[in-house]
Amino acid sequence: MEEKETFNHLPHKTIARLSQYRRALLLCLSRGKSHIFSHEIATIQHITPVQVRRDLMLIGYSGTLRKGYNIKELINLIANIIDSEEGIKVAIVGMGNLGRALINYFSGKRHKLSIVAGFDTNPDKIGNTMNGVPCYSASMMKDIIQQEGIQIGIITVPAENASQTANELVAAGIKGLLNYTPKPIDVPEYVYLEEYDMITTLEKVAFYVKMRSLEEE
Amino acid sequence: MEEKETFNHLPHKTIARLSQYRRALLLCLSRGKSHIFSHEIATIQHITPVQVRRDLMLIGYSGTLRKGYNIKELINLIANIIDSEEGIKVAIVGMGNLGRALINYFSGKRHKLSIVAGFDTNPDKIGNTMNGVPCYSASMMKDIIQQEGIQIGIITVPAENASQTANELVAAGIKGLLNYTPKPIDVPEYVYLEEYDMITTLEKVAFYVKMRSLEEE
DNA sequence: ATAACAATGTTATTTTATTAACAATTATTT
DNA sequence: AAATAATTGTTAATAAAATAACATTGTTAT
Ligand SMILES: NC(=O)c1ccc[n+]([C@@H]2O[C@H](COP(=O)([O-])OP(=O)(O)OC[C@H]3O[C@@H](n4cnc5c(N)ncnc54)[C@H](O)[C@@H]3O)[C@@H](O)[C@H]2O)c1
Ligand SMILES: NC(=O)c1ccc[n+]([C@@H]2O[C@H](COP(=O)([O-])OP(=O)(O)OC[C@H]3O[C@@H](n4cnc5c(N)ncnc54)[C@H](O)[C@@H]3O)[C@@H](O)[C@H]2O)c1
């Protein structure tokens, strides 16, 4: 019996790396490269070639011995694993500095992921569009999310409004949340949540910089 | 012989969590709380109480049995570990949407980390200040970084200028780099590098959203 | 006083992630 | 034609991280 491949058990870290590989591969492709070796991918990503080969093994992709991996094929396979066929729609709540930076960053990128709506409470922002993304009143959140079938929400409101916004998004039926405010939020277990705070990353860099200078002494 | 505690061997993940604990603790403190239990910290951070206790064990902090951990003491200890006494100065290169979002986010936060300079090539931006952070010409980078003793750089220029900017920062003597462009950069091994790309995070969320909806079928 | 409870701190175990080792393969060089 | 070199794919080993188990200790209730 033919077993349907689900890629269900890929390690979390592998998923993240596949996304990065794809980005690097697309760049290589645009430069006219057709094949690539594991050690080339590894160098770009600052990891080891073994890691790359192991990840590709896990997704069942084989290269050729002297040419390496076919870039187009590999991109397609990664797309197959990561992307949803129908595409996934994303909404961003809080069209401030960060919200705008993200929309700006995303627009023009192909991908099966697209930011299709922004929400804000500031009347000056409602009704505008930013890089093709319309800004709606936050009171319309539920309606528009359901109507458009938006599945993922990005939270970039001021920290004090984060949890309320999260609740509204959950109530609207969102399936995944990306919280960029420094305030950790709570969601039901059926909603996939990622939180990211820059300060943590920066403090980590600072810690290792400090450590290294202490070691030198 | 008294051994000087260096916290040299703390797991990477513990470092990141300590930064997060501190943020949560500061919030609790500001609300008038004086003590906190491991399970309370755990709930805020969406992790397990054991994880919290283990991290605190690693840094050698003990709570009291029925009151939990003294918030002030713990904050101070974490500060001791993560922060540098003298403070660390940070520069941001590329005062666009993202650069501004980050400066805006940072300003007002206490911390031993402060963004003290921004750099850009756009004449319209040079000479302005943003939330107290002056924007200098990118050609002044080396001078100002050395003069001010800036140790960490954040890169938020357009992707095509990322590696050149990284080189300039390294040449100026920077010790740690945080790269927000989607273009991976190369630095000498003595420079601590973190790279972050939102697209990876978003694609990860999308993948798990997709997986869960496939599982339901 | 004693039992039950709710915490902490720590060691042991399990899981996840990375790295190493190496056989197999094919192009290139001698 | 044989030796060499470079690369993949995979299994084995190691390392890092998370979780479980549990002894210990005060506190509260009985
Ligand atoms: N994670 C990071 O690295 C990072 C970096 C920068 C900023 N931040 C955080 O992101 C958030 C936004 O930062 P910013 O600089 O863009 O702030 P901002 O003030 O520029 O933007 C916030 C926007 O949210 C809108 N808003 C407020 N309440 C709302 C609500 N209930 N519903 C919808 N919209 C609402 C405001 O009108 C404003 O447009 C802050 O919480 C900040 O701390 C995080
Ligand atoms: N990692 C993420 O999550 C994320 C999110 C958004 C944007 N980005 C990336 O961050 C970068 C900046 O995004 P943005 O929206 O702020 O772009 P932006 O165009 O608004 O800002 C870029 C700024 O860099 C300046 N600049 C250009 N070349 C420079 C140089 N050589 N030296 C100094 N300054 C220079 C420009 O004048 C401009 O002010 C882009 O690479 C973008 O892809 C990353």
Side-chain angles (χ1 to χ4, degrees):
Chain A
M1 206 223 288
E2 185 70 22
E3 199 185 335
K4 196 189 160 204
E5 199 137 32
T6 60
F7 302 113
N8 215 333
H9 305 295
L10 291 173
H12 281 56
K13 291 291 187 76
T14 295
I15 298 297
R17 282 191 299 262
L18 288 176
S19 161
Q20 290 165 350
Y21 296 162
R22 171 162 66 176
R23 211 132 15 85
L25 291 169
L26 284 165
L27 195 65
C28 292
L29 193 66
S30 76
R31 287 179 182 157
K33 235 168 125 69
S34 74
H35 288 77
I36 194 167
F37 295 121
S38 60
H39 63 82
E40 294 178 293
I41 299 179
T43 302
I44 297 171
Q45 300 298 146
H46 309 301
I47 57 177
T48 65
V50 185
Q51 181 86 84
V52 174
R53 293 206 299 276
R54 213 171 184 296
D55 286 335
L56 299 191
M57 184 194 85
L58 291 174
I59 64 174
Y61 186 67
S62 289
T64 53
L65 199 37
R66 290 299 276 220
K67 289 165 88 184
Y69 303 96
N70 180 307
I71 294 181
K72 259 188 197 158
E73 277 178 22
L74 186 47
I75 288 172
N76 288 338
L77 176 56
I78 293 176
N80 230 326
I81 295 167
I82 295 188
D83 297 339
S84 295
E85 265 174 72
E86 340 72 64
I88 289 194
K89 292 180 179 179
V90 181
I92 192 157
V93 187
M95 298 278 272
N97 289 298
L98 185 58
R100 283 197 309 271
L102 294 179
I103 286 175
N104 203 44
Y105 178 43
F106 257 87
S107 68
K109 302 263 188 320
R110 74 267 149 269
H111 283 298
K112 289 287 169 124
L113 272 169
S114 50
I115 300 181
V116 299
F119 297 97
D120 209 295
T121 47
N122 183 338
D124 295 343
K125 301 196 174 169
I126 298 167
N128 297 341
T129 75
M130 165 89 200
N131 259 299
V133 178
C135 178
Y136 302 101
S137 161
S139 59
M140 308 273 289
M141 226 183 316
K142 190 166 189 172
D143 288 346
I144 291 179
I145 284 174
Q146 295 183 340
Q147 181 182 312
E148 294 259 359
I150 293 169
Q151 295 198 72
I152 294 178
I154 302 179
I155 303 178
T156 53
V157 300
E160 59 269 25
N161 300 338
S163 59
Q164 194 213 324
T165 296
N167 292 342
E168 288 171 24
L169 284 165
V170 169
I174 219 86
K175 296 287 175 19
L177 273 184
L178 199 38
N179 177 26
Y180 276 95
T181 79
K183 177 100 193 310
I185 58 176
D186 293 311
V187 297
E189 56 82 31
Y190 62 82
V191 174
Y192 184 89
L193 171 68
E194 287 266 345
E195 312 208 60
Y196 178 78
D197 192 331
M198 234 231 104
I199 286 192
T200 295
T201 314
L202 190 56
E203 288 190 335
K204 214 174 129 192
V205 174
F207 173 80
Y208 287 106
V209 166
K210 171 190 174 189
M211 271 304 151
R212 289 183 178 190
S213 69
L214 286 179
E215 272 164 16
E216 275 171 18
E217 278 170 15
Chain B
M1 204 223 288
E2 184 70 25
E3 198 185 339
K4 197 189 161 203
E5 199 137 31
T6 60
F7 302 112
N8 215 333
H9 306 296
L10 292 173
H12 281 56
K13 290 291 187 74
T14 295
I15 299 299
R17 282 190 300 262
L18 288 175
S19 162
Q20 291 165 350
Y21 297 163
R22 170 162 67 176
R23 212 133 11 86
L25 291 168
L26 284 165
L27 196 65
C28 292
L29 193 66
S30 76
R31 286 178 183 158
K33 232 166 129 68
S34 75
H35 288 74
I36 194 166
F37 295 121
S38 60
H39 62 83
E40 295 178 293
I41 300 178
T43 302
I44 297 171
Q45 301 296 147
H46 310 302
I47 57 177
T48 65
V50 186
Q51 181 87 83
V52 174
R53 294 207 298 279
R54 214 172 183 294
D55 285 335
L56 300 190
M57 184 195 85
L58 291 175
I59 64 173
Y61 186 67
S62 289
T64 53
L65 200 37
R66 288 302 274 220
K67 290 165 86 184
Y69 304 96
N70 179 306
I71 293 180
K72 259 190 196 157
E73 278 178 21
L74 187 46
I75 288 172
N76 288 338
L77 177 55
I78 293 176
N80 231 324
I81 295 167
I82 295 187
D83 297 339
S84 295
E85 266 173 70
E86 339 73 63
I88 288 193
K89 293 181 180 178
V90 181
I92 193 159
V93 186
M95 297 279 270
N97 289 300
L98 185 58
R100 283 197 310 270
L102 294 179
I103 286 174
N104 202 43
Y105 177 44
F106 257 86
S107 68
K109 301 263 186 323
R110 74 265 147 268
H111 283 297
K112 290 285 169 127
L113 271 171
S114 50
I115 299 181
V116 299
F119 297 97
D120 209 294
T121 46
N122 183 336
D124 294 346
K125 300 195 173 168
I126 297 166
N128 298 340
T129 76
M130 165 90 201
N131 259 299
V133 178
C135 179
Y136 302 102
S137 161
S139 60
M140 308 272 290
M141 226 184 316
K142 189 165 188 172
D143 287 347
I144 291 179
I145 284 174
Q146 294 184 340
Q147 182 182 312
E148 295 259 358
I150 293 169
Q151 295 197 75
I152 294 178
I154 302 179
I155 302 178
T156 53
V157 299
E160 59 269 25
N161 301 338
S163 61
Q164 194 212 324
T165 296
N167 292 341
E168 288 171 24
L169 285 165
V170 169
I174 221 85
K175 295 289 177 16
L177 274 185
L178 198 38
N179 176 27
Y180 276 96
T181 77
K183 177 100 192 311
I185 58 176
D186 293 311
V187 297
E189 57 81 30
Y190 62 82
V191 174
Y192 184 89
L193 172 68
E194 287 267 344
E195 313 207 62
Y196 177 78
D197 192 331
M198 236 230 104
I199 285 193
T200 295
T201 315
L202 189 56
E203 289 191 334
K204 213 173 131 192
V205 174
F207 173 80
Y208 287 107
V209 166
K210 171 191 173 187
M211 271 304 151
R212 288 184 180 189
S213 69
L214 286 181
E215 272 163 17
E216 275 171 18
E217 280 170 16

